[in-house]
Amino acid sequence: MKADLSDLNAFVAVARAGGFRDGARMSGASASALSEAVRRLETQLGLRLLNRTTRSIALTEAGRRLLDRLTPALSEVDAAISDARELRDRPAGTLKLNVPVSATRLVLPAIIPAFLAAYPDIHLDITVDESFVDILAAGCDAGIRYGERLEKDMIAVPIGPRRQRFALGASPAYLDERGRPEHPRDLLTHRCLQGRFPSGTRMQWEFERGHEVVKVDVTGPLTVEIGGASDLIVDVAVAGVGIVPLFEDWLRPHFNSGALEPVLEPWWQSFEGPFLYFAGRRLVPGPLRAFVDFVKAHRP
């Protein structure tokens, strides 16, 4: 048999105040509501808890014992509710994100240090995955992907750079030996290092200048799965093996150092940056809400 918590609180309010009217003033409920709650509790227990007169009330032995046991128990309930509300105001817990490798290199490094400093009670748990996954089925709170791979029922928030470009690079030694392409079709005679998605589909080499769009079916000595082997394909290009396609920001340090030289830069396509996405729910977990608000407040 379970007593209603509100009825127990009503009994405690009346017992502590010494009457229904004073209990009503202390609790904010009406005297009649308190009286009905106590009567309901007594009926459920099969015990009289209060001896009532027209002027006062007095605890019975059963009422006194119940009050003695309820007082610390209800204090614990109040403390638990306060703790829960504090988590709402000061988020704590684990936030699980599912992200591609590009986000770990080009997006999250500019966000995570400041976010963890602002929310020291939040722990980030990040899974790196190039395929599109059901984040809820995977046990994650949110993910980062590009717009064309987002499901329609997800809430999407821009995160990281809003425009990005796919670049081509090759070592100066390679270009000195094989020549510098002037048009995307020139790539047909070059050694092109290729990327493959986890699905098995090869990355398409597409270029754009003005209103002209060119797609080239390239060939080359090396194909790697996009994501985990991206650093390998860059190192191979730096070693002079061929031309590498990758995010401009990923290749930028190598362009700046001279290890790689931009190839066909006027033809590089730009595209919309990534999104943080999560399922639409009425109550968003505190750590996720804090991350979403932080991302919105620190957009580039």
Side-chain angles (χ1 to χ4, degrees):
M1 179 177 63
K2 294 183 179 180
D4 188 277
L5 185 60
S6 61
D7 290 350
L8 294 173
N9 276 312
F11 164 70
V12 171
V14 172
R16 287 175 176 172
F20 289 98
R21 289 183 179 178
D22 289 339
R25 282 194 295 268
M26 293 175 58
S27 66
S30 68
S32 60
L34 292 180
S35 178
E36 180 60 30
V38 172
R39 186 178 296 111
R40 189 165 49 243
L41 182 59
E42 288 178 326
T43 300
Q44 187 177 20
L45 295 176
L47 293 168
R48 182 178 290 277
L49 301 175
L50 300 172
N51 287 320
R52 301 165 178 83
T53 69
T54 56
R55 297 193 174 193
S56 65
I57 62 104
L59 288 167
T60 65
E61 177 63 19
R64 184 185 61 78
R65 289 189 179 185
L66 181 60
L67 180 64
D68 289 343
R69 297 293 298 272
L70 282 178
T71 298
L74 291 177
S75 295
E76 281 298 310
V77 171
D78 289 341
I81 293 174
S82 295
D83 285 346
R85 286 173 175 163
E86 184 179 355
L87 289 180
R88 178 195 64 190
D89 299 330
R90 182 178 57 82
T94 298
L95 173 59
K96 294 185 177 182
L97 301 178
N98 186 290
V99 308
V101 170
S102 59
T104 68
R105 291 290 297 266
L106 308 179
V107 176
L108 293 178
I111 296 174
I112 287 180
F115 175 74
L116 292 179
Y119 297 96
D121 295 323
I122 292 179
H123 173 79
L124 278 178
D125 184 334
I126 296 176
T127 297
V128 179
D129 192 341
E130 293 301 314
S131 59
F132 187 81
V133 298
D134 182 334
I135 55 173
L136 296 182
C140 294
D141 299 296
I144 295 177
R145 291 297 186 275
Y146 285 83
E148 69 274 10
R149 305 186 69 190
L150 294 178
E151 295 182 8
K152 302 305 181 185
D153 60 346
M154 291 288 173
I155 296 175
V157 176
I159 185 172
R162 295 327 306 142
R163 298 301 302 178
Q164 294 180 281
R165 290 199 301 175
F166 234 83
L168 294 184
S171 72
Y174 170 87
L175 295 173
D176 288 343
E177 177 185 352
R178 303 294 296 264
R180 287 165 173 78
E182 296 181 359
H183 190 277
R185 285 189 292 270
D186 295 340
L187 295 172
L188 294 174
T189 62
H190 279 268
R191 295 162 62 88
C192 296
L193 311 176
Q194 300 178 72
R196 171 175 37 82
F197 294 105
S199 64
T201 303
R202 290 194 179 190
M203 187 184 73
Q204 191 173 57
W205 289 45
E206 185 173 299
F207 304 89
E208 184 175 357
R209 187 173 67 176
H211 298 293
E212 184 179 4
V213 176
V214 179
K215 297 179 182 180
V216 183
D217 188 13
V218 300
T219 60
L222 176 66
T223 299
V224 303
E225 184 170 286
I226 293 171
S230 295
D231 282 331
L232 170 62
I233 202 172
V234 173
D235 291 341
V236 169
V238 170
V241 175
I243 299 174
V244 58
L246 205 57
F247 290 92
E248 178 184 4
D249 291 339
W250 198 318
L251 295 180
R252 180 56 56 191
H254 301 284
F255 293 151
N256 292 342
S257 70
L260 292 178
E261 182 178 316
V263 174
L264 292 173
E265 184 169 0
W267 289 88
W268 292 354
Q269 279 192 324
S270 68
F271 50 91
E272 190 175 30
F275 292 84
L276 174 73
Y277 72 99
F278 54 96
R281 290 177 286 185
R282 187 174 65 86
L283 294 177
V284 176
L288 176 56
R289 171 52 59 196
F291 191 70
V292 170
D293 290 344
F294 189 87
V295 167
K296 288 180 177 178
H298 295 80
R299 285 175 181 166

